[in-house]
Amino acid sequence: MIIAIDGPAASGKGTLARNLARHFDLPHLDTGLLYRATARALMEQGRNLADKAAAIAAARGLALTDFDEASLRGREMAEAASIVAAIPEVRAALVELQRAFARRPGGAVLDGRDIGTVICPEACTKIFVTASAEARATRRALELSAQGGRTDYAAVLEEILRRDARDKNRATAPLVPAKDAIVLDTTALDAQAAFKAALAIVQGTRSVAARG
Ligand code: DC
């Protein structure tokens, strides 16, 4: 069983994917970490994020063991990841890694921007998680303040809108719901309510698949 979760920044897709993976006892891959790790490799080499050849080499050199999550999570890394993710060859270099993860026996949960459209078009369940930009900025700002970070709501909202625009408008694998994805709007839902709604979606798609 492959569950594909896509959606924009701070939509709640990561928490939802983790909760679904735990519930179904499936491995989970946060594919944003691949782009973040690619960007970090470039930054560590002192390269410009626009250095295409270096970005492609960094993506090709990645392994799933390269993720020290804490150092990849920051806002700066999110923006940098969105920039390198617009390079088609970087995306191409990361496809097989993601597909191999999805093809594990028993299945997997993957979250990202193009899981239902490009990486796993065969996924039995595709959920496109969304929420208003304001709700997403509020969540992100609360998260940052809980971590003791600087919280400037207006700056967080602006970052989210800029990242949305870049991720939606790139030529390759833009952020867009798959035709057969079910849209889950979490604007008015907390994590638990979003999980309940997602569980109902998964159960619905599984019974449709079982009826064949
Ligand atoms: O999910 P995230 O916030 O960690 O992702 C960071 C950036 O990486 C995001 O703005 C766009 C890019 N990304 C992508 O293009 N495709 C994915 N499957 C996952 C992330």
Short mmCIF file of all heavy atoms in Angstrom, two decimals, residues 62-116:
data_model
loop_
_atom_site.label_atom_id
_atom_site.label_comp_id
_atom_site.label_asym_id
_atom_site.label_seq_id
_atom_site.Cartn_x
_atom_site.Cartn_y
_atom_site.Cartn_z
N LEU A 62 23.53 11.86 -3.11
CA LEU A 62 22.77 11.67 -1.87
C LEU A 62 22.41 10.21 -1.61
O LEU A 62 22.13 9.47 -2.54
CB LEU A 62 21.44 12.41 -1.93
CG LEU A 62 21.37 13.88 -1.58
CD1 LEU A 62 19.91 14.27 -1.44
CD2 LEU A 62 22.11 14.18 -0.30
N ALA A 63 22.38 9.85 -0.33
CA ALA A 63 21.85 8.55 0.07
C ALA A 63 20.84 8.81 1.18
O ALA A 63 20.89 9.86 1.83
CB ALA A 63 22.98 7.67 0.57
N LEU A 64 19.96 7.86 1.41
CA LEU A 64 18.90 8.09 2.40
C LEU A 64 19.45 8.21 3.82
O LEU A 64 18.74 8.60 4.73
CB LEU A 64 17.85 6.98 2.35
CG LEU A 64 16.91 7.03 1.14
CD1 LEU A 64 15.90 5.90 1.20
CD2 LEU A 64 16.18 8.37 1.06
N THR A 65 20.73 7.89 3.98
CA THR A 65 21.31 7.98 5.32
C THR A 65 21.88 9.37 5.60
O THR A 65 22.42 9.62 6.67
CB THR A 65 22.44 6.95 5.46
OG1 THR A 65 23.23 7.04 4.28
CG2 THR A 65 21.90 5.55 5.63
N ASP A 66 21.76 10.29 4.62
CA ASP A 66 22.41 11.59 4.75
C ASP A 66 21.62 12.61 5.55
O ASP A 66 21.94 13.78 5.54
CB ASP A 66 22.65 12.21 3.35
CG ASP A 66 23.79 11.54 2.62
OD1 ASP A 66 24.55 10.83 3.28
OD2 ASP A 66 23.90 11.71 1.40
N PHE A 67 20.54 12.18 6.21
CA PHE A 67 19.65 13.18 6.77
C PHE A 67 19.77 13.36 8.26
O PHE A 67 19.20 12.62 9.03
CB PHE A 67 18.20 12.84 6.42
CG PHE A 67 18.03 12.62 4.96
CD1 PHE A 67 17.29 11.57 4.48
CD2 PHE A 67 18.63 13.48 4.06
CE1 PHE A 67 17.15 11.38 3.13
CE2 PHE A 67 18.49 13.30 2.71
CZ PHE A 67 17.76 12.24 2.24
N ASP A 68 20.52 14.38 8.62
CA ASP A 68 20.54 14.81 10.01
C ASP A 68 19.43 15.86 10.09
O ASP A 68 19.62 17.02 9.78
CB ASP A 68 21.93 15.40 10.31
CG ASP A 68 21.90 16.19 11.60
OD1 ASP A 68 20.95 16.01 12.37
OD2 ASP A 68 22.85 16.97 11.82
N GLU A 69 18.23 15.38 10.47
CA GLU A 69 17.02 16.19 10.31
C GLU A 69 17.11 17.57 10.94
O GLU A 69 16.70 18.55 10.33
CB GLU A 69 15.81 15.46 10.87
CG GLU A 69 15.40 14.30 10.02
CD GLU A 69 13.91 14.02 10.13
OE1 GLU A 69 13.17 14.93 10.52
OE2 GLU A 69 13.53 12.89 9.82
N ALA A 70 17.63 17.63 12.17
CA ALA A 70 17.60 18.91 12.89
C ALA A 70 18.25 20.01 12.06
O ALA A 70 17.73 21.12 11.94
CB ALA A 70 18.27 18.74 14.23
N SER A 71 19.39 19.69 11.45
CA SER A 71 20.12 20.73 10.73
C SER A 71 19.49 21.03 9.37
O SER A 71 19.88 21.97 8.68
CB SER A 71 21.58 20.31 10.54
OG SER A 71 21.62 19.23 9.62
N LEU A 72 18.51 20.23 8.96
CA LEU A 72 17.88 20.47 7.64
C LEU A 72 16.56 21.22 7.77
O LEU A 72 15.99 21.66 6.78
CB LEU A 72 17.62 19.14 6.93
CG LEU A 72 18.84 18.34 6.52
CD1 LEU A 72 18.43 16.97 5.99
CD2 LEU A 72 19.65 19.08 5.46
N ARG A 73 16.09 21.39 9.00
CA ARG A 73 14.72 21.86 9.20
C ARG A 73 14.49 23.36 9.06
O ARG A 73 13.36 23.78 8.90
CB ARG A 73 14.22 21.44 10.59
CG ARG A 73 13.90 19.98 10.67
CD ARG A 73 12.55 19.69 10.09
NE ARG A 73 12.37 18.27 9.87
CZ ARG A 73 11.67 17.76 8.89
NH1 ARG A 73 11.08 18.53 8.00
NH2 ARG A 73 11.55 16.47 8.73
N GLY A 74 15.55 24.16 9.13
CA GLY A 74 15.35 25.62 9.26
C GLY A 74 14.70 26.30 8.06
O GLY A 74 14.53 25.71 7.00
N ARG A 75 14.32 27.57 8.27
CA ARG A 75 13.63 28.34 7.22
C ARG A 75 14.55 28.61 6.03
O ARG A 75 14.14 28.59 4.89
CB ARG A 75 13.17 29.68 7.79
CG ARG A 75 12.03 29.52 8.75
CD ARG A 75 11.93 30.69 9.70
NE ARG A 75 11.35 31.88 9.10
CZ ARG A 75 11.23 33.05 9.75
NH1 ARG A 75 11.66 33.15 10.98
NH2 ARG A 75 10.68 34.08 9.15
N GLU A 76 15.83 28.86 6.35
CA GLU A 76 16.79 29.17 5.29
C GLU A 76 16.93 27.95 4.37
O GLU A 76 16.98 28.06 3.15
CB GLU A 76 18.13 29.51 5.94
CG GLU A 76 19.16 30.05 4.98
CD GLU A 76 20.57 30.02 5.55
OE1 GLU A 76 20.75 29.55 6.71
OE2 GLU A 76 21.48 30.43 4.84
N MET A 77 16.94 26.78 4.99
CA MET A 77 17.11 25.55 4.22
C MET A 77 15.86 25.26 3.37
O MET A 77 15.95 24.71 2.28
CB MET A 77 17.38 24.40 5.19
CG MET A 77 18.29 23.35 4.66
SD MET A 77 19.85 23.99 4.07
CE MET A 77 20.75 24.03 5.60
N ALA A 78 14.70 25.64 3.89
CA ALA A 78 13.46 25.43 3.14
C ALA A 78 13.47 26.25 1.85
O ALA A 78 13.15 25.75 0.76
CB ALA A 78 12.26 25.85 4.01
N GLU A 79 13.89 27.49 1.98
CA GLU A 79 13.95 28.37 0.81
C GLU A 79 14.99 27.85 -0.19
O GLU A 79 14.75 27.77 -1.40
CB GLU A 79 14.33 29.78 1.32
CG GLU A 79 14.53 30.83 0.26
CD GLU A 79 13.23 31.28 -0.38
OE1 GLU A 79 12.16 30.94 0.14
OE2 GLU A 79 13.31 31.96 -1.43
N ALA A 80 16.15 27.44 0.34
CA ALA A 80 17.22 26.93 -0.52
C ALA A 80 16.78 25.65 -1.23
O ALA A 80 17.05 25.44 -2.42
CB ALA A 80 18.47 26.66 0.32
N ALA A 81 16.04 24.80 -0.51
CA ALA A 81 15.55 23.54 -1.10
C ALA A 81 14.60 23.84 -2.25
O ALA A 81 14.66 23.20 -3.32
CB ALA A 81 14.83 22.72 -0.03
N SER A 82 13.74 24.83 -2.07
CA SER A 82 12.78 25.17 -3.12
C SER A 82 13.51 25.66 -4.38
O SER A 82 13.07 25.40 -5.50
CB SER A 82 11.82 26.23 -2.55
OG SER A 82 11.06 26.82 -3.55
N ILE A 83 14.64 26.34 -4.18
CA ILE A 83 15.41 26.85 -5.33
C ILE A 83 16.05 25.68 -6.11
O ILE A 83 15.89 25.56 -7.32
CB ILE A 83 16.48 27.87 -4.87
CG1 ILE A 83 15.77 29.12 -4.34
CG2 ILE A 83 17.45 28.21 -6.00
CD1 ILE A 83 16.68 30.12 -3.63
N VAL A 84 16.73 24.77 -5.40
CA VAL A 84 17.38 23.66 -6.13
C VAL A 84 16.34 22.68 -6.70
O VAL A 84 16.58 22.03 -7.71
CB VAL A 84 18.44 22.89 -5.29
CG1 VAL A 84 19.58 23.79 -4.89
CG2 VAL A 84 17.84 22.21 -4.08
N ALA A 85 15.15 22.63 -6.05
CA ALA A 85 14.10 21.70 -6.51
C ALA A 85 13.51 22.12 -7.86
O ALA A 85 12.82 21.33 -8.51
CB ALA A 85 12.98 21.62 -5.47
N ALA A 86 13.80 23.35 -8.28
CA ALA A 86 13.28 23.81 -9.58
C ALA A 86 14.19 23.37 -10.73
O ALA A 86 13.86 23.58 -11.90
CB ALA A 86 13.13 25.33 -9.56
N ILE A 87 15.35 22.77 -10.40
CA ILE A 87 16.27 22.32 -11.46
C ILE A 87 15.85 20.91 -11.90
O ILE A 87 15.91 19.96 -11.10
CB ILE A 87 17.74 22.31 -10.93
CG1 ILE A 87 18.14 23.71 -10.44
CG2 ILE A 87 18.69 21.80 -12.02
CD1 ILE A 87 19.48 23.75 -9.69
N PRO A 88 15.40 20.74 -13.15
CA PRO A 88 14.85 19.44 -13.57
C PRO A 88 15.81 18.28 -13.34
O PRO A 88 15.40 17.21 -12.91
CB PRO A 88 14.58 19.63 -15.08
CG PRO A 88 14.45 21.10 -15.27
CD PRO A 88 15.31 21.76 -14.22
N GLU A 89 17.11 18.49 -13.59
CA GLU A 89 18.07 17.38 -13.44
C GLU A 89 18.26 16.99 -11.97
O GLU A 89 18.63 15.85 -11.68
CB GLU A 89 19.43 17.74 -14.06
CG GLU A 89 19.38 17.94 -15.56
CD GLU A 89 19.09 19.39 -15.95
OE1 GLU A 89 18.53 20.15 -15.13
OE2 GLU A 89 19.42 19.77 -17.09
N VAL A 90 18.07 17.95 -11.06
CA VAL A 90 18.13 17.62 -9.63
C VAL A 90 16.97 16.70 -9.31
O VAL A 90 17.12 15.65 -8.65
CB VAL A 90 18.09 18.91 -8.76
CG1 VAL A 90 17.77 18.58 -7.30
CG2 VAL A 90 19.41 19.66 -8.86
N ARG A 91 15.80 17.04 -9.79
CA ARG A 91 14.61 16.21 -9.55
C ARG A 91 14.83 14.80 -10.14
O ARG A 91 14.53 13.80 -9.50
CB ARG A 91 13.35 16.84 -10.15
CG ARG A 91 13.09 18.27 -9.70
CD ARG A 91 11.65 18.68 -9.95
NE ARG A 91 10.76 17.98 -9.06
CZ ARG A 91 10.52 18.33 -7.80
NH1 ARG A 91 11.08 19.40 -7.27
NH2 ARG A 91 9.70 17.62 -7.05
N ALA A 92 15.34 14.78 -11.37
CA ALA A 92 15.55 13.48 -12.03
C ALA A 92 16.51 12.61 -11.22
O ALA A 92 16.31 11.40 -11.09
CB ALA A 92 16.07 13.70 -13.45
N ALA A 93 17.54 13.25 -10.65
CA ALA A 93 18.55 12.49 -9.90
C ALA A 93 17.95 11.86 -8.63
O ALA A 93 18.50 10.92 -8.09
CB ALA A 93 19.72 13.40 -9.52
N LEU A 94 16.82 12.40 -8.16
CA LEU A 94 16.25 11.93 -6.89
C LEU A 94 15.06 10.99 -7.07
O LEU A 94 14.52 10.46 -6.10
CB LEU A 94 15.83 13.14 -6.04
CG LEU A 94 16.98 14.06 -5.63
CD1 LEU A 94 16.47 15.32 -4.95
CD2 LEU A 94 17.96 13.33 -4.71
N VAL A 95 14.65 10.77 -8.32
CA VAL A 95 13.44 9.96 -8.58
C VAL A 95 13.62 8.52 -8.10
O VAL A 95 12.79 7.99 -7.36
CB VAL A 95 13.07 9.99 -10.08
CG1 VAL A 95 12.06 8.90 -10.41
CG2 VAL A 95 12.51 11.34 -10.46
N GLU A 96 14.71 7.87 -8.50
CA GLU A 96 14.86 6.44 -8.21
C GLU A 96 14.93 6.14 -6.72
O GLU A 96 14.36 5.15 -6.24
CB GLU A 96 16.07 5.85 -8.94
CG GLU A 96 15.68 5.15 -10.23
CD GLU A 96 14.35 4.36 -10.14
OE1 GLU A 96 14.22 3.47 -9.29
OE2 GLU A 96 13.42 4.65 -10.92
N LEU A 97 15.63 7.02 -6.00
CA LEU A 97 15.74 6.87 -4.54
C LEU A 97 14.34 6.83 -3.92
O LEU A 97 14.03 5.98 -3.08
CB LEU A 97 16.47 8.11 -4.04
CG LEU A 97 17.29 8.06 -2.78
CD1 LEU A 97 18.50 7.17 -2.98
CD2 LEU A 97 17.76 9.48 -2.43
N GLN A 98 13.48 7.73 -4.38
CA GLN A 98 12.12 7.82 -3.82
C GLN A 98 11.28 6.61 -4.25
O GLN A 98 10.53 6.04 -3.47
CB GLN A 98 11.45 9.12 -4.27
CG GLN A 98 12.16 10.36 -3.75
CD GLN A 98 11.60 11.64 -4.35
OE1 GLN A 98 10.58 12.14 -3.92
NE2 GLN A 98 12.28 12.17 -5.36
N ARG A 99 11.43 6.23 -5.52
CA ARG A 99 10.62 5.08 -6.00
C ARG A 99 11.05 3.80 -5.31
O ARG A 99 10.22 2.96 -4.97
CB ARG A 99 10.73 4.94 -7.52
CG ARG A 99 9.97 6.04 -8.21
CD ARG A 99 9.80 5.80 -9.69
NE ARG A 99 9.05 6.90 -10.26
CZ ARG A 99 9.19 7.37 -11.49
NH1 ARG A 99 10.07 6.82 -12.31
NH2 ARG A 99 8.45 8.37 -11.91
N ALA A 100 12.36 3.64 -5.09
CA ALA A 100 12.85 2.43 -4.41
C ALA A 100 12.27 2.38 -3.00
O ALA A 100 11.86 1.32 -2.51
CB ALA A 100 14.37 2.42 -4.37
N PHE A 101 12.19 3.54 -2.35
CA PHE A 101 11.60 3.57 -1.00
C PHE A 101 10.13 3.16 -1.06
O PHE A 101 9.65 2.37 -0.25
CB PHE A 101 11.74 4.99 -0.41
CG PHE A 101 11.37 5.07 1.04
CD1 PHE A 101 12.34 4.95 2.03
CD2 PHE A 101 10.04 5.25 1.43
CE1 PHE A 101 12.00 5.00 3.38
CE2 PHE A 101 9.69 5.31 2.77
CZ PHE A 101 10.67 5.19 3.74
N ALA A 102 9.42 3.69 -2.04
CA ALA A 102 7.97 3.41 -2.15
C ALA A 102 7.69 1.95 -2.46
O ALA A 102 6.66 1.41 -2.06
CB ALA A 102 7.37 4.29 -3.24
N ARG A 103 8.64 1.30 -3.15
CA ARG A 103 8.41 -0.09 -3.57
C ARG A 103 8.77 -1.12 -2.50
O ARG A 103 8.77 -2.31 -2.77
CB ARG A 103 9.23 -0.39 -4.84
CG ARG A 103 8.62 0.19 -6.11
CD ARG A 103 9.24 -0.43 -7.35
NE ARG A 103 10.66 -0.16 -7.42
CZ ARG A 103 11.23 0.75 -8.23
NH1 ARG A 103 10.48 1.46 -9.04
NH2 ARG A 103 12.52 0.93 -8.24
N ARG A 104 9.04 -0.65 -1.28
CA ARG A 104 9.36 -1.63 -0.23
C ARG A 104 8.21 -2.59 -0.04
O ARG A 104 7.05 -2.20 -0.20
CB ARG A 104 9.58 -0.90 1.09
CG ARG A 104 10.86 -0.14 1.11
CD ARG A 104 10.90 0.71 2.35
NE ARG A 104 12.17 1.40 2.38
CZ ARG A 104 12.80 1.74 3.51
NH1 ARG A 104 12.28 1.47 4.67
NH2 ARG A 104 13.96 2.35 3.45
N PRO A 105 8.51 -3.83 0.35
CA PRO A 105 7.41 -4.78 0.56
C PRO A 105 6.46 -4.21 1.62
O PRO A 105 6.90 -3.69 2.63
CB PRO A 105 8.12 -6.03 1.10
CG PRO A 105 9.57 -5.83 0.84
CD PRO A 105 9.83 -4.38 0.64
N GLY A 106 5.18 -4.28 1.34
CA GLY A 106 4.20 -3.76 2.31
C GLY A 106 3.81 -2.33 2.03
O GLY A 106 2.75 -1.88 2.41
N GLY A 107 4.71 -1.61 1.34
CA GLY A 107 4.38 -0.25 0.96
C GLY A 107 5.05 0.82 1.81
O GLY A 107 5.97 0.51 2.60
N ALA A 108 4.61 2.05 1.67
CA ALA A 108 5.24 3.17 2.35
C ALA A 108 4.34 4.40 2.26
O ALA A 108 3.42 4.45 1.45
CB ALA A 108 6.59 3.47 1.69
N VAL A 109 4.67 5.36 3.11
CA VAL A 109 4.01 6.66 3.04
C VAL A 109 5.08 7.67 2.63
O VAL A 109 6.15 7.71 3.23
CB VAL A 109 3.43 7.08 4.42
CG1 VAL A 109 2.74 8.44 4.32
CG2 VAL A 109 2.47 6.02 4.95
N LEU A 110 4.82 8.43 1.58
CA LEU A 110 5.77 9.46 1.14
C LEU A 110 5.04 10.79 1.14
O LEU A 110 3.89 10.87 0.70
CB LEU A 110 6.30 9.18 -0.27
CG LEU A 110 7.31 8.03 -0.41
CD1 LEU A 110 6.60 6.70 -0.52
CD2 LEU A 110 8.19 8.25 -1.64
N ASP A 111 5.71 11.84 1.61
CA ASP A 111 5.10 13.16 1.48
C ASP A 111 6.03 14.11 0.75
O ASP A 111 7.25 13.97 0.81
CB ASP A 111 4.63 13.70 2.84
CG ASP A 111 5.74 14.25 3.71
OD1 ASP A 111 6.13 15.40 3.53
OD2 ASP A 111 6.21 13.50 4.60
N GLY A 112 5.43 15.03 0.00
CA GLY A 112 6.22 15.98 -0.78
C GLY A 112 5.35 16.89 -1.62
O GLY A 112 4.33 17.41 -1.14
N ARG A 113 5.78 17.11 -2.86
CA ARG A 113 5.05 18.01 -3.76
C ARG A 113 4.58 17.28 -5.01
O ARG A 113 3.63 17.69 -5.66
CB ARG A 113 5.94 19.19 -4.21
CG ARG A 113 6.53 20.04 -3.10
CD ARG A 113 5.45 20.85 -2.41
NE ARG A 113 5.96 21.82 -1.44
CZ ARG A 113 6.56 21.54 -0.29
NH1 ARG A 113 6.75 20.29 0.07
NH2 ARG A 113 6.94 22.50 0.53
N ASP A 114 5.28 16.20 -5.38
CA ASP A 114 5.00 15.54 -6.66
C ASP A 114 4.88 14.03 -6.50
O ASP A 114 5.16 13.27 -7.42
CB ASP A 114 6.14 15.84 -7.65
CG ASP A 114 7.48 15.30 -7.17
OD1 ASP A 114 7.62 15.02 -5.95
OD2 ASP A 114 8.39 15.15 -7.99
N ILE A 115 4.50 13.57 -5.30
CA ILE A 115 4.47 12.12 -5.07
C ILE A 115 3.34 11.49 -5.88
O ILE A 115 3.54 10.49 -6.59
CB ILE A 115 4.32 11.80 -3.56
CG1 ILE A 115 5.38 12.53 -2.73
CG2 ILE A 115 4.39 10.28 -3.33
CD1 ILE A 115 6.80 12.27 -3.12
N GLY A 116 2.15 12.07 -5.81
CA GLY A 116 1.02 11.50 -6.54
C GLY A 116 1.08 11.72 -8.04
O GLY A 116 0.50 10.96 -8.81
#
